[in-house]
Amino acid sequence: MAARKEKAGREKPVNPPGHLATQDLKDRGWTPRLIERFLGPHDLTRENGLKMGRRRLPPVKLYLETRVDEAERDDAFLAAQAKAADARERAARNREVREAKRAALLRAAAEGYTPTIHPEPLRKGAKNKARAPYLAGLERTQRQLEKELGKVTEKESAQLRALLMERLDTALAAAYDWFPAPGQARPKLRRGRKVGAGKRGPATGASGTGTEGIEGGWQKAPLHKQRGGAGGLSA
């Protein structure tokens, strides 16, 4: 209990007056090379308040604020800082271009996936059951596409799966009139109940004629429909 109180009461380390930490310098536009060139060795250190698992990170390097202010008034520093900022902007633009090209490549790869849907007698709103027969094929397609694309990152793999799922949902929406197409707004709730969440009448088998879906829930079909076929009840 005492150890917990001691841990809870431990204050976050702060910089001594008149000193700036490395992160403070980065916030002011400094880079590691600028620090090395215009400031040199640090003046002090303090405890690092961050941990990686149970291991505390190395001490934080501190620099006298007066030295930092003096360096920032140097024309050579200002020119070097501007050059570093330009380099960062170019790198960011190049990264955006690479990511856009990669995203276009993922979209083009996903467009080749067009699943053939075989409609089954499912209740309205059974999205997971509608998808289930096609997920294994989707995963095989994704593995093959990632092999062809090469060097697919975890983020790109998630993007590719989302694109393939969108293609699958589009095909399912064309096969089932109740299946929402990608981007389609969800139906509004009525009377505090989700669409398709009401009670269902007894099913009569694969024909699915035992229940009839209505917006806002399910209602029992007329008795002659529930007992249709051989052995039906008389009126």
Side-chain angles (χ1 to χ4, degrees):
M1 179 68 86
R4 289 184 179 180
K5 289 183 178 180
E6 181 181 352
K7 183 177 180 181
R10 182 179 297 172
E11 296 182 358
K12 181 179 178 181
V14 295
N15 299 336
H19 289 78
L20 296 174
T22 305
Q23 184 59 50
D24 299 324
L25 298 180
K26 291 181 179 179
D27 293 341
R28 293 169 66 144
W30 288 74
T31 66
R33 292 190 64 181
L34 290 175
I35 294 174
E36 180 181 0
R37 177 180 172 185
F38 292 95
L39 292 179
H42 54 278
D43 301 295
L44 198 63
T45 61
R46 67 161 171 79
E47 181 185 10
N48 196 324
L50 301 178
K51 288 185 177 182
M52 184 175 292
R54 295 184 177 180
R55 182 172 62 86
R56 187 172 293 280
L57 296 178
V60 175
K61 296 178 181 179
L62 301 172
Y63 300 83
L64 281 169
E65 191 170 3
T66 54
R67 288 209 302 128
V68 175
D69 291 339
E70 182 179 355
E72 290 179 342
R73 291 191 292 268
D74 189 336
D75 289 340
F77 168 81
L78 295 175
Q81 187 183 45
K83 185 177 180 180
D86 290 341
R88 286 197 301 271
E89 291 178 1
R90 287 196 303 272
R93 287 195 298 269
N94 291 337
R95 182 170 59 252
E96 290 176 359
V97 170
R98 288 195 303 270
E99 290 178 353
K101 289 182 177 179
R102 193 67 172 175
L105 193 61
L106 292 174
R107 287 194 299 271
E111 287 176 0
Y113 172 62
T114 306
T116 301
I117 305 300
H118 302 284
E120 299 179 7
L122 299 175
R123 68 172 178 83
K124 182 178 179 181
K127 292 171 57 177
N128 290 338
K129 286 188 176 181
R131 287 190 184 117
Y134 309 98
L135 293 180
L138 183 147
E139 291 171 358
R140 286 194 301 269
T141 299
Q142 181 172 357
R143 288 194 296 269
Q144 180 61 31
L145 290 176
E146 290 183 359
K147 183 178 179 181
E148 295 173 0
L149 290 168
K151 297 182 179 179
V152 176
T153 65
E154 184 176 346
K155 179 181 177 180
E156 290 174 343
S157 180
Q159 291 173 341
L160 180 58
R161 181 173 180 83
L163 290 168
L164 294 174
M165 286 296 296
E166 183 177 332
R167 300 280 296 178
L168 174 58
D169 286 354
T170 299
L172 290 169
Y176 298 100
D177 57 2
W178 48 263
F179 197 101
Q184 178 180 330
R186 296 183 62 181
K188 295 181 180 180
L189 297 181
R190 299 179 63 181
R191 299 179 182 177
R193 182 183 296 175
K194 293 182 179 180
V195 174
K199 295 183 179 180
R200 294 183 294 164
T204 57
S207 64
T209 57
T211 56
E212 293 181 354
I214 61 169
E215 186 175 356
W218 288 81
Q219 67 175 1
K220 292 185 179 181
L223 193 58
H224 69 278
K225 289 188 177 181
Q226 293 183 31
R227 302 299 185 182
L233 296 178
S234 59

